[in-house]
C-alpha cells in the first residue's frame, strides 16, 4: 500500500476537474478550495483513495455561497424569530432578484434625474393604508421607534420626555428593551400607571412642558390577564398641554395594516390612525409577511420631518428590502398570511394525504399518526392566541436527525412525541417533508 501522503493528488490537479471548475464559477474559488482541502486531508488520513478525492470534494461543496440554509418550519409557529420571521412570497423573492443588479431605485428613468428612493414601495404602502398622510420605511421596527424618538424627543425645544404606561415597557427579544432603546437616543421616560392598570388621568397628569409625545406600545409578545386596564389610542389622541397638542405615537409592532378576522385583538395601522394616532410604527417581517423593515405611517408633515432628519440616513433601508416590500404589498398573498388563512379541515386533509403516500411499514414503525395541534403566530404578535392546527406525530428521537438533515426540519416535541405541524409549512413543501422523514428514519427515498 503506497504512502497516502505521497499519493494525495495536488490541489491544482484536483481543481482541474470539470465539476469543480464549474463550481468555481458558481461559488467562487475560496469555497471550492476549502472542499478540496478537506478531501485531501481525508486522503492523507487514508480514509479516501487518491482517485476519489475529486468526487469527495464535489460531494462536499456547499449548495450556495452562504452558510444559511433553507429549513422546513414544522413548528406550528407562523412568525418564528429564530427561523428568520416571515418567509418571503415567490413574487418578493423575484423582486429581490430584479433589484439585486443595477436598478432604478433612486433614478427617474423618464427624466434621467435623481428620483425618490424606493417610490414604488412607498406608493404601495401609502395605497395600502389610505389613512396615512405620509409613509416612510427604515431598517426595522426598532429603528422606526428610534427615529421617532430621536426627532421628536431630542430636547432642543425643551421637550425630551416620552410618556408611556408601565405595562407597555416591553422587552422585544434577545435582551433588547424598548425603554432602553429610547433612552439610548436621548429621551427620558415618564412611566405612568402600574404593571396591570393605567387610566387616562395617569397620562394627563403626567403631561408637562418637557413632554415630547405619548407612546402607546402593543404588548406583542405577552398577555396580562385578570385585573387589567389600558387606555385606547382614541382616548390618548389629541391630548393637550398648555394649549399645545401632544403627539400620540402608536407602536403596533406586528405590521397588520388592517384588521385581521382571525386576530381580533391585534391592533392594526389603519385603526390606530383612524383613532387619531399622529404616527404609527410597525415591523415589516411579522404579520405583514414581508422583509425586515420598519414602517412609519402618519401625519404627512411629521413623516417628512422624520425622513429629512440626518439620523434617518443611518437607518436607510436597502434596495432589496424595498423591492421585497413592494412585492409583498402588491403581489400574491405572502406565506404568513396564507398560513393564517389555513383551516383545520384543509390541514387535516393534507396530513392524511402525506401519511397515505408513506409506505405502510414506515408508518407502522414510526407509529405515525395525524393529531390535532395548536399553532401560534409567534414572536410577531397575537400573544396567547392559539391557532388550531394539525400535525404528524412521530417518535421524539427523530428530532435530531431531522434537524441535521438536508433540508433541516424543525418540529416541536410534546409529551415524548415529535409533532410536525403543517400550519406554517407551505403545501409545496410537503414532499420535501416526506423525503426528510424517510431519510431521518433511515428508510431512504424511492
Ligand atoms: C417586534 C416589535 C418591535 C421591534 O421591531 P423589530 O422589527 O424587531 O425591530 C417593537 N415594538 C413592538 C411592539 C414589537 O412587537
Amino acid at each position: 500500500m503506497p504512502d497516502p501522503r505521497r499519493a494525495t493528488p495536488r490541489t491544482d490537479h484536483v481543481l482541474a476537474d470539470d465539476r469543480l471548475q464549474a463550481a468555481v464559477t458558481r461559488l467562487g474559488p475560496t469555497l471550492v478550495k476549502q472542499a478540496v482541502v478537506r478531501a485531501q486531508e481525508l486522503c492523507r488520513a487514508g480514509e479516501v483513495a487518491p482517485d476519489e478525492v475529486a468526487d469527495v470534494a464535489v460531494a462536499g461543496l456547499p449548495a450556495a455561497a452562504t452558510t444559511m440554509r433553507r429549513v422546513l418550519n414544522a413548528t406550528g409557529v407562523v412568525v418564528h424569530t429564530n427561523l428568520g420571521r416571515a418567509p418571503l412570497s415567490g413574487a418578493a423573492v423575484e423582486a429581490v432578484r430584479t433589484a439585486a443588479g443595477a436598478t432604478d431605485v433612486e433614478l427617474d428613468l423618464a427624466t434621467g434625474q435623481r428620483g425618490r428612493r424606493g417610490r414604488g414601495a412607498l406608493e404601495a404602502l401609502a395605497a395600502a393604508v389610505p389613512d396615512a398622510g405620509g409613509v416612510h420605511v427604515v431598517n426595522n421596527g426598532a429603528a422606526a421607534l428610534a427615529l421617532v424618538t430621536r426627532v421628536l424627543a431630542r430636547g432642543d425645544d425643551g421637550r425630551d420626555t416620552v410618556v408611556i404606561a408601565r405595562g407597555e415597557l416591553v422587552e422585544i427579544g434577545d435582551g433588547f428593551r424598548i425603554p432602553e432603546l429610547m433612552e439610548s437616543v436621548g429621551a427620558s421616560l415618564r412611566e405612568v400607571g402600574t404593571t396591570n392598570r393605567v387610566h387616562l388621568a395617569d397620562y394627563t397628569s403626567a403631561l408637562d412642558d418637557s413632554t415630547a409625545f405619548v407612546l402607546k406600545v402593543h404588548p406583542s409578545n405577552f398577555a396580562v390577564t385578570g385585573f387589567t386596564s389600558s387606555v385606547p389610542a382614541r382616548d390618548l389622541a389629541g391630548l393637550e398641554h398648555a394649549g399645545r397638542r401632544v403627539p400620540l405615537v402608536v407602536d403596533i409592532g406586528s405590521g397588520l395594516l388592517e384588521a385581521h378576522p382571525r386576530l381580533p385583538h391585534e391592533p392594526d395601522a389603519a385603526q390606530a390612525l383612524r383613532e387619531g394616532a399622529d404616527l404609527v410604527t410597525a415591523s415589516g417581517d411579522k404579520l405583514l409577511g414581508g422583509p425586515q423593515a420598519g414602517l412609519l405611517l402618519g401625519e404627512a408633515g411629521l413623516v417628512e420631518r422624520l425622513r429629512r432628519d440626518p439620523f434617518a440616513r443611518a437607518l436607510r433601508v436597502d434596495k432589496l428590502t424595498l423591492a421585497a416590500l413592494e412585492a409583498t404589498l402588491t403581489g400574491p398573498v405572502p406565506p404568513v398570511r396564507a398560513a393564517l388563512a389555513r383551516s383545520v379541515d384543509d390541514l387535516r386533509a393534507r396530513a392524511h394525504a402525506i401519511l397515505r403516500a408513506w409506505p405502510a411499514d414506515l408508518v407502522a414503525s414510526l407509529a405515525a399518526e395525524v393529531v390535532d395541534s395548536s399553532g401560534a403566530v409567534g414572536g410577531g404578535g397575537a400573544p396567547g392566541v392559539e391557532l388550531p392546527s394539525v400535525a404528524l406525530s412521530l417518535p421524539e428521537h427523530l428530532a435530531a436527525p431531522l434537524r441535521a438533515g438536508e433540508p433541516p426540519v424543525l418540529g416541536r416535541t410534546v409529551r415524548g412525541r415529535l409533532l410536525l405541524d403543517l400550519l406554517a409549512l407551505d403545501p409545496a413543501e410537503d414532499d420535501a417533508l416526506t423525503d426528510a422523514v424517510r431519510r431521518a428514519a433511515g428508510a431512504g427515498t424511492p
Side-chain angles (χ1 to χ4, degrees):
M1 168 112 186
D3 179 357
R5 289 178 170 278
R6 286 171 172 273
T8 301
R10 292 198 345 238
T11 306
D12 53 355
H13 213 97
V14 183
L15 277 173
D17 185 286
D18 284 349
R19 296 164 299 171
L20 293 172
Q21 278 305 301
V24 167
T25 310
R26 198 167 58 82
L27 298 170
T30 308
L31 296 174
V32 178
K33 242 182 222 152
Q34 282 170 2
V36 171
V37 167
R38 277 193 300 273
Q40 287 171 315
E41 279 163 5
L42 291 173
C43 183
R44 278 187 210 105
E47 291 173 35
V48 162
D51 60 355
E52 289 169 0
V53 169
D55 291 347
V56 169
V58 168
L61 286 170
T66 170
T67 53
M68 269 194 248
R69 294 162 69 191
R70 174 177 86 106
V71 307
L72 299 184
N73 177 6
T75 62
V77 178
V78 176
V79 179
H80 198 302
T81 301
N82 303 138
L83 301 183
R85 288 196 183 160
L88 295 180
S89 68
V93 171
E94 195 56 40
V96 167
R97 263 188 169 287
T98 302
T103 176
D104 62 340
V105 63
E106 215 172 299
L107 185 79
D108 183 343
L109 289 173
T111 63
Q113 306 291 306
R114 180 195 192 106
R116 186 179 178 207
R117 184 179 172 84
R119 67 198 166 282
L122 295 169
E123 281 166 11
L125 183 57
V129 190
D131 293 287
V135 298
H136 184 55
V137 180
V138 290
N139 265 327
N140 60 12
L145 262 185
L147 181 59
V148 172
T149 308
R150 163 91 194 147
V151 174
L152 296 189
R154 198 194 319 265
D156 49 2
D157 53 2
R159 293 193 276 271
D160 66 353
T161 304
V162 179
V163 178
I164 179 170
R166 284 206 168 79
E168 297 176 7
L169 299 168
V170 176
E171 178 170 314
I172 45 185
D174 198 21
F176 288 99
R177 295 169 170 172
I178 286 177
E180 290 171 1
L181 166 77
M182 300 180 69
E183 284 166 346
S184 76
V185 289
S188 303
L189 295 189
R190 177 76 195 271
E191 302 168 13
V192 298
T194 60
T195 309
N196 57 329
R197 288 174 74 83
V198 64
H199 308 282
L200 182 57
D202 294 318
Y203 286 94
T204 51
S205 60
L207 302 180
D208 63 21
D209 291 341
S210 75
T211 306
F213 61 93
V214 171
L215 177 65
K216 185 169 171 59
V217 178
H218 175 53
S220 57
N221 53 10
F222 68 99
V224 180
T225 57
F227 187 52
T228 64
S229 73
S230 63
V231 184
R234 84 183 81 86
D235 293 344
L236 296 173
L239 295 183
E240 293 196 357
H241 175 74
R244 188 186 76 95
R245 182 189 161 96
V246 180
L248 171 65
V249 179
V250 178
D251 174 15
I252 59 167
S254 79
L256 271 192
L257 299 184
E258 50 191 42
H260 193 286
R262 262 190 116 167
L263 308 170
H265 303 298
E266 194 64 19
D268 63 277
Q271 174 78 10
L273 290 168
R274 278 199 293 270
E275 290 193 21
D278 299 274
L279 279 173
V280 170
T281 66
S283 296
D285 54 350
K286 294 177 178 173
L287 289 172
L288 181 63
Q292 178 186 304
L295 314 181
L296 282 153
L297 309 113
E299 197 272 311
L302 218 43
V303 173
E304 186 61 11
R305 238 177 99 196
L306 300 177
R307 195 178 75 78
R308 297 304 318 165
D309 190 86
F311 192 50
R313 179 57 195 249
L315 312 173
R316 189 174 89 163
V317 77
D318 176 52
K319 63 177 178 176
L320 304 181
T321 303
L322 289 165
L325 180 61
E326 182 176 359
T328 300
L329 290 162
T330 61
V333 174
V336 165
R337 316 282 297 196
L340 287 180
R342 283 184 190 123
S343 75
V344 174
D345 288 345
D346 289 350
L347 290 167
R348 193 171 290 118
R350 248 175 87 190
H352 283 293
I354 291 173
L355 270 201
R356 267 199 306 277
W358 291 6
D361 56 344
L362 180 69
V363 173
S365 69
L366 300 179
E369 54 178 350
V370 173
V371 296
D372 287 341
S373 170
S374 178
V377 168
V385 173
E386 293 190 358
L387 301 170
S389 182
V390 173
L392 302 173
S393 169
L394 304 178
E396 189 175 12
H397 70 76
L398 284 184
L402 276 169
R403 227 173 31 244
E406 180 53 47
V409 178
L410 275 292
R412 198 167 82 235
T413 47
V414 178
R415 287 189 294 278
R417 295 290 286 177
L418 174 68
L419 299 191
L420 299 181
D421 193 307
L422 298 185
L423 181 68
L425 200 70
D426 192 291
E429 296 173 313
D430 288 355
D431 289 345
L433 185 75
T434 290
D435 292 346
V437 170
R438 296 180 71 150
R439 276 192 298 268
T445 40

